[in-house]
Amino acid sequence: MKDSIGKILREEQEQYLVALLPARDPVAAGIEADADQHQVPIVDPEVGRFLYIAARSIQARRVLEVGTATGYSGLWLARALPEGGKLVTIDVNPARQARAREAWAAAGVAERVETITGPALEVLPTLSGPFDLLFIDALKDEYQQYFDLALPLLRPGALVLVDNVLWKGRVATGEHDEETDAIRDFNAYTMSHPRLTTVILPLGDGVLYAVVE
């Protein structure tokens, strides 16, 4: 969730937007509480709603997620899928994926989700497309590699969504460390990629939103 370092919005703006958000259902609220208690990185609630909106807007049937965590983003994506739709989600942490599956079962969407345990850089080359939407929220210094491996699996017109691309404002301040530099390079790479039309939204910690040409 958010912290006070490098906030994208002014405090009063953020408070206003957070206050507008409807209360989450018990399953989503439970994942949020668990993430706060155990310091599990998950997307902000407004980003979760955006994932749902994006998936519904293109009537996505097959979604690929890199970074399951405890299933919060997957919950929003799975709920957006129609009957027969499938979310394929990858993570290296089996314990977190087990918690995610419990949450999805409680929400009634478990049959829409396939979890794959392992490093995404090893798993992605084994998958078959096409997918309608790609969501990335995992190791920041591997973002570009995830994208390059996943791109051949995406149909023309598919959406690419990536979380944390403003990295609490660090990408814009000239700070240098491995993760910040990797995200900065990834943003530039996707903005100029010949198969993408890309915009970065100041939503949550920054969401990259792109369509595959």
Side-chain angles (χ1 to χ4, degrees), residues 140 143 164-165 167 171 179-187:
K140 311 312 171 189
Y143 269 14
N164 302 121
V165 293
W167 205 225
V171 293
E179 291 182 319
T180 303
D181 289 342
I183 294 173
R184 191 183 290 119
D185 291 344
F186 174 74
N187 291 344

Side-chain angles (χ1 to χ4, degrees), residues 162-196:
V162 186
D163 196 32
N164 302 121
V165 293
L166 291 179
W167 205 225
K168 301 179 178 65
R170 296 189 187 106
V171 293
T173 62
E175 292 185 44
H176 292 284
D177 58 68
E178 186 174 2
E179 291 182 319
T180 303
D181 289 342
I183 294 173
R184 191 183 290 119
D185 291 344
F186 174 74
N187 291 344
Y189 177 72
T190 50
M191 275 288 185
S192 61
H193 197 283
R195 288 201 58 200
L196 293 183

Side-chain angles (χ1 to χ4, degrees), residues 6-84:
K7 283 186 175 293
I8 296 169
L9 298 175
R10 296 200 304 269
E11 188 69 31
E12 67 274 14
Q13 294 171 329
E14 183 173 340
Q15 290 176 358
Y16 170 73
L17 294 176
V18 169
L20 280 179
L21 288 173
R24 266 72 72 199
D25 66 277
V27 176
I31 300 175
E32 291 176 18
D34 178 80
D36 283 340
Q37 180 180 354
H38 296 100
Q39 297 299 297
V40 178
I42 63 173
V43 301
D44 293 308
E46 62 269 31
V47 175
R49 289 173 66 85
F50 179 72
L51 295 178
Y52 176 89
I53 292 167
R56 282 296 298 272
S57 71
I58 62 166
Q59 299 180 320
R61 296 190 63 84
R62 296 194 75 215
V63 174
L64 176 59
E65 177 182 51
V66 179
T68 311
T70 49
Y72 190 67
S73 50
L75 177 67
W76 289 97
L77 290 166
R79 283 176 163 165
L81 296 176
E83 184 176 352

Side-chain angles (χ1 to χ4, degrees), residues 41-43 51 64-74 77 87-93 96-97 100 104 116 118-120 124 134-140 143 146:
I42 63 173
V43 301
L51 295 178
L64 176 59
E65 177 182 51
V66 179
T68 311
T70 49
Y72 190 67
S73 50
L77 290 166
L87 166 66
V88 177
T89 180
I90 307 165
D91 203 287
V92 296
N93 191 317
R96 287 183 177 178
Q97 283 191 328
W104 298 329
I116 301 177
L124 287 168
L134 167 68
F135 176 57
I136 298 174
D137 185 15
L139 295 176
K140 311 312 171 189
Y143 269 14
Y146 301 147

